[in-house]
Amino acid sequence: NARDESGIQAVIVVYTDGTGSWQSVSLSPGNGNAWTGNIPVNEETEFFAQTVDMAGNVTISDRGGEYYRPFLDTTPPHTFATV
């Protein structure tokens, strides 16, 4: 979820698969304050989010520099959640 009084312009997830290379994915606005998107994951995946408001301010959510790691539910269909 992302919200700001001026509105949200963009939410970007920046991730690595453990190889040292970082990629980014722009999320799409969903219902309410939700933004959605997909990234490929494996056991080494780490990610953080950048949010840009309509005034151009940028915030970063990165768990204090420890980054987020996905949790993989191995029962089909595959679903992902942050831990």
Side-chain angles (χ1 to χ4, degrees):
N1 286 327
R3 65 177 181 258
D4 185 85
E5 289 181 15
S6 69
I8 299 297
Q9 180 179 359
V11 177
I12 300 148
V13 171
V14 183
Y15 67 94
T16 181
D17 61 3
T19 62
S21 176
W22 290 83
Q23 310 281 335
S24 63
V25 171
S26 294
L27 302 186
S28 300
N31 294 328
N33 296 325
W35 289 72
T36 63
N38 295 298
I39 62 170
V41 298
N42 62 35
E43 294 80 21
E44 303 299 318
T45 301
E46 295 180 309
F47 65 95
F48 64 92
Q50 297 176 324
T51 303
V52 183
D53 69 12
M54 294 303 235
N57 299 307
V58 178
T59 59
I60 296 174
S61 177
D62 66 359
R63 286 188 59 215
E66 294 188 25
Y67 305 120
Y68 295 98
R69 297 182 64 87
F71 169 77
L72 174 59
D73 177 358
T74 58
T75 58
H78 294 305
T79 57
F80 306 93
T82 59
V83 191

